[in-house]
């Protein structure tokens, strides 16, 4: 591996762009390759075995592209595919669950943490198991939100459509008095303003946890230790989609603000 090798980012669709945005802040001089598995999304309703298989296929594609490290910017893929990828690939692979839990543990004051995620992530119980490593007294309650994934994929990031969807899911927490909410799907930070509007209307103070920054810092520590941090003058981002490239490209251009000219390709995996 060389310093100017790119960093790989994988998501089931466009949700990982929220993580890529943070990576670009933490790594302003790095090249990136991003793949969204738009053909097989949403991952949250698929079987653990399917998720593990699809995750590895996409990560192996990035490895073949010569990346020096990979971020799994998808909670469901992290829950079911991280361990397998770390065992089979000879490059660093980091996920988003542990960084999110470490931050939620630091900011909660009443030890009641809510999780809004895909059904697959909620059913895996990985968040409950991970956050209790930091504090066994934290109570975590999760709600699966598949429609919210689809809303974001369709570009509904801050409008009445997505606010209604979010409100319906938040109502499922009923009387659970959480003070911290983990956005446990990387699609959801793209709708952060909608979450904030809803809590403001409800006159509630809830800390929103987006795992992106902590994940980026974790990878930076690994690359620094291996002396693989880059000093690129004009870094480049390559985007890959497994389906509907035009729609994917439009969403990318609405989310990622960069002066560099990116390339977009549809790939078949």
């Amino acid at each position: 591996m060389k310093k100017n090798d790119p960093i790989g980012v994988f998501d089931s669709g466009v949700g990982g762009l929220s993580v890529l945005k943070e990576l670009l802040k933490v790594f302003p001089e790095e090249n990136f390759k991003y793949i969204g598995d738009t053909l097989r999304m949403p991952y949250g309703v698929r079987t653990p075995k399917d998720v593990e298989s699809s995750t590895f296929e996409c990560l192996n594609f990035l490895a073949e592209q010569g990346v020096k490290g990979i971020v799994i910017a998808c909670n469901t893929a992290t829950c079911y595919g991280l361990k397998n990828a770390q065992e089979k690939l000879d490059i660093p692979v980091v996920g988003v669950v542990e960084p999110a839990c470490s931050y939620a543990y630091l900011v909660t004051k009443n030890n009641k943490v809510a999780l809004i995620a895909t059904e697959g992530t909620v059913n895996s119980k990985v968040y409950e198991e991970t956050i209790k490593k930091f504090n066994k007294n934290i109570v975590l309650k999760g709600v699966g939100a598949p429609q919210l994934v689809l809303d974001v994929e369709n570009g509904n990031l801050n409008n009445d459509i997505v606010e209604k969807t979010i409100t319906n899911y938040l109502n499922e927490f009923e009387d659970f008095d959480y003070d911290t909410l983990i956005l446990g799907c990387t699609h959801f930070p793209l709708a952060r303003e909608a979450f904030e509007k809803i809590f403001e209307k409800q006159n509630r103070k809830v800390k929103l946890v987006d795992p992106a920054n902590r994940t980026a810092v974790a990878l930076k520590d690994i690359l620094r230790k291996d002396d693989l941090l880059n000093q690129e003058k004009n870094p480049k981002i390559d985007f890959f989609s497994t389906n509907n490239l035009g729609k994917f490209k439009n969403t990318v251009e609405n989310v990622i603000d960069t002066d560099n000219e990116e390339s977009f390709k549809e790939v078949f995996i």
Side-chain angles (χ1 to χ4, degrees):
M1 289 183 286
K2 304 184 297 295
K3 288 185 177 184
N4 65 346
D5 286 342
I7 293 170
V9 184
F10 159 69
D11 185 65
S12 61
V14 301
L17 297 174
S18 65
V19 177
L20 179 59
K21 282 182 72 174
E22 199 61 37
L23 287 164
L24 290 170
K25 295 176 188 175
V26 175
F27 297 100
E29 298 171 322
E30 295 284 352
N31 299 298
F32 287 91
K33 290 186 182 288
Y34 180 105
I35 183 169
D37 191 11
T38 47
L39 178 64
R40 294 177 286 195
M41 66 77 59
Y43 274 26
V45 297
R46 297 175 59 205
T47 67
K49 202 77 174 173
D50 281 346
V51 171
E52 180 184 283
S53 174
S54 296
T55 296
F56 184 75
E57 287 175 1
C58 290
L59 299 191
N60 192 53
F61 168 80
L62 289 173
E64 290 173 348
Q65 292 287 312
V67 299
K68 62 185 176 184
I70 298 175
V71 173
I72 301 181
C74 172
N75 284 264
T76 306
T78 297
C79 292
Y80 296 120
L82 176 63
K83 185 178 178 182
N84 177 59
Q86 288 176 331
E87 290 173 351
K88 292 183 177 178
L89 297 175
D90 59 359
I91 54 177
V93 182
V94 299
V96 290
V97 172
E98 188 161 328
C101 288
S102 69
Y103 187 57
Y105 150 72
L106 289 174
V107 299
T108 181
K109 293 195 168 49
N110 68 358
N111 285 343
K112 292 183 179 179
V113 176
L115 166 71
I116 185 165
T118 66
E119 292 171 306
T121 295
V122 172
N123 293 337
S124 76
K125 303 295 182 184
V126 169
Y127 266 96
E128 287 94 327
E129 295 166 4
T130 303
I131 204 164
K132 285 187 179 298
K133 293 178 184 178
F134 297 97
N135 182 352
K136 64 181 181 180
N137 295 318
I138 290 179
V139 178
L140 185 144
K141 180 177 180 179
V143 166
Q147 183 57 47
L148 185 52
V149 178
L150 297 177
D151 282 358
V152 172
E153 284 284 335
N154 289 325
N156 296 305
L157 308 181
N158 186 21
N159 56 25
D160 291 342
I161 294 173
V162 77
E163 280 191 41
K164 182 179 180 181
T165 298
I166 292 170
T167 299
N168 288 339
Y169 284 127
L170 292 180
N171 288 340
E172 294 185 30
F173 288 108
E174 298 177 329
D175 59 353
F176 183 59
D177 187 28
Y178 58 94
D179 69 349
T180 303
L181 175 65
I182 297 175
L183 303 177
C185 172
T186 48
H187 285 68
F188 299 168
L190 298 176
R192 185 185 184 105
E193 288 185 30
F195 277 96
E196 291 172 342
K197 282 182 184 177
I198 291 166
F199 286 126
E200 186 177 350
K201 289 177 184 176
Q202 296 175 348
N203 198 27
R204 291 192 63 193
K205 290 185 177 179
V206 176
K207 186 71 176 180
L208 297 178
V209 175
D210 174 2
N213 178 264
R214 293 281 174 137
T215 304
V217 170
L219 180 62
K220 189 167 189 176
D221 288 342
I222 293 171
L223 296 181
R224 181 186 292 114
K225 182 180 177 182
D226 293 337
D227 193 27
L228 286 173
L229 291 176
N230 197 23
Q231 300 292 322
E232 190 75 25
K233 296 291 185 184
N234 295 294
K236 181 184 178 185
I237 310 173
D238 291 321
F239 290 97
F240 303 91
S241 170
T242 56
N243 188 46
N244 205 336
L245 184 63
K247 180 180 174 182
F248 174 78
K249 184 174 184 289
N250 287 338
T251 304
V252 169
E253 291 174 342
N254 284 333
V255 174
I256 299 299
D257 182 20
T258 175
D259 294 331
N260 298 300
E261 187 174 338
E262 302 93 3
S263 65
F264 292 84
K265 294 179 183 177
E266 188 165 329
V267 294
F268 302 95
I269 299 175

